[in-house]
Amino acid sequence: MSDTHTSTLDNLSHETRAFAPSVEFVATAVGKAEQYEAAKADRLGYWEDQARKVLTWDTDFTEVLDWSQAPVAKWFADGKVNAAYNALDRHVENGLGDRVAIHFEGEPGDTRSYTYSQLTDAVKQAANAFESFGIAKGDRVAIYLPMIPEAVITMLACARIGAIHSVVFGGFSADALRSRVDDAEAKLVVTADGTWRRGKPSSLKPAVDEALAKDGHTVQNVLVVKRNGQDVNWNEKLDKWWGDVVDTASTEHTAVGHEAEHPLFVLYTSGTTGKPKGIIHTTGGYLVQAAATHRDTFDLHPESDVFWCTADIGWVTGHTYVTYAPLINGATQVMYEGTPDFPNQGRWWEIIANYGVTVLYTAPTAIRTFMKWGRAIPDSYDLSSLRVLGSVGEPINPEAWMWYREVIGSNNGPNGEKKEHPTPIVDTWWQTETGAHMIAPLPGVTSTKPGSAQCPVPGITVDVVDDMGVSVGNGEGGFLVIRDPWPGMLRGIWGDMNRYQETYWSRFEGMYFAGDGAKKDTDGDIWLLGRVDDVMNVSGHRLSTTEIESSLVAHPYVAEAAVVGAKDETTGEAVVAFVILQVEPEEGEDVVATLRAHVGKDIGPIAKPRHILVVPELPKTRSGKIMRRLLKDVAEGREVGDATTLADNTVMTQIADSMHK
Ligand code: WTA
């Protein structure tokens, strides 16, 4: 374990608080202790039950799991199911057509609500439009959209016809979009003119134009949603307005069942090498775990709850807990387009009060930002409707957890009134690769501990092991692994099945290696300690050190670069880069600003280093491996650790000297 993990371990070992659920909460809780028992006694039987409970199958399945080609799993393989039918049509058929599916709030304050019947019609129209473009089952569709209902509609329309969506986060650059379009060989791109960011228009279409400017791509159509009304360039050959093609399409469209193992989507995520991985998820197993965890972790009562997951559609959280699970479960949810500080820092609390949000699911980085802004802001709103609060994306430190509980979870109105029983906090650990929650308390069963994600959800078996793959316990640290296949697991990496095997299944024999450090306390509860590989976590977003290094080295000024994640109070980690220059910059040029802008353009603004330090040398071992651990010490302002394995042991002094110049 690295030094950072040891120190985090020490801090967390002092945390001993635990909060049992209230009697009132337990009485109506959906998730029950018996589920753990049932799943322990018969794991496959448990998932078989869940599969029939949460989904309506066109063709029932006869086999739950086929693991004969491990590590590629097949779940419910001979069953057929349609994701969009399950998210939409069946609720309408069951008399829930007038229930609101999505309350949309745009950043400028415009609002739109879709009932289940309206959303069903919209998805049928989009499905017809996509088919009119020649999109068929198995074709790939790239989605580059802001947080607007059309994003959900597009994803579900793809799922309906069996096309595989690949959502590219709207904050990514033209280059990042092009490489994802190329890797998946997308035939259609769905985008918007632009969106709004802090009151100003923010464009999307120009990035698509730039991405497709060079020939050699597979895109035949670009469908453009009109959102912020800005001027756009028009390519007569490719571009079509959503309003012309989708809004005029027929609302008749019959969904057919797709094989449970038919791919539902590809989502690119950073790994330990420069090239993002296209994580493949399939239909049946993914939907089962998505819906079951959404129901149990958030204690979902779909007839009365108003759920709000603040994640963008560009990340897996937006896939599973905005598009799929809430709709499969027939819930009502809120979707918000903009930032939390526009027009003021109370925007989120105003949304919660206005829509009566009952379940809020957000990230520690947001919570820490609100802490910084001060409790007076949420205190002045009525947040009494909240009854469950969720966290995801990175370890939540106990201070942020307690603030979430005491300030947001105890708010019983704007006059400083407190709830008798603060809302449970559920910290949920999972990954793009796992598809859905893996470790999370059940709010009506578990006594929750600040800073711990605690126990695997029913039907999941995780463990913490040492270097040799042997289980640890009693407060010891190690590596988080998953011992058994699970329904929502990734089925591979697009176009690179060897990399799938190597990345996840070769570190420990027969176990899935998640890339996270963890400890198990004396109760057996799990505490996550952050990544142990070269993946950074900035505001809950995964970034690869290698990817940013490659981008820096691609700039003509840079000879060599090393990137580390340094602790940051708000964003969890921040990107810090060390570069060796190969040319003298022009007189008066701000190299650091140039390089930051370069990375922003190359990958996207979230990848811009917080600091770039120009250094004469990088610390390397005799075999030439950069010792990032030492650079991390520098970046975090610590005394530099053991440097005896360096090829040149004066390097760290040179770096220190260059920083003081
Ligand atoms: C981290 C996001 C601690 C972890 C759903 C994981 C967390 C990576 C938690 C996956 C949590 C996510 N506690 N760490 N509750 N949730 N992580 O693929 O390092 O964007 O491996 O999926 O985020 O990030 P991804």
Side-chain angles (χ1 to χ4, degrees), residues 36 91 94 163 180 182 198 285 359 423 449 461 463 497 577:
Y36 289 119
H91 300 312
N94 292 336
R180 286 157 175 79
D182 285 350
R198 297 200 174 84
V359 183
T423 68
K449 300 178 180 177
T461 34
D463 202 357
M497 289 309 275

Side-chain angles (χ1 to χ4, degrees), residues 550-560 580-585 589 591 594-595 598:
S550 311
S551 168
L552 284 166
V553 173
H555 192 281
Y557 285 174
V558 178
E560 270 194 87
I580 305 176
L581 299 182
Q582 59 184 352
V583 288
E584 277 295 311
E589 181 175 1
V591 195
T594 306
L595 294 177
H598 165 76

Side-chain angles (χ1 to χ4, degrees), residues 316 393-395 427-432 516 528 531 537 542:
V316 75
E394 55 177 313
D427 177 18
T428 63
W429 179 90
W430 60 296
Q431 309 177 292
T432 305
D516 279 52
L528 276 309
R531 301 289 303 193
N537 192 324
R542 276 163 70 165

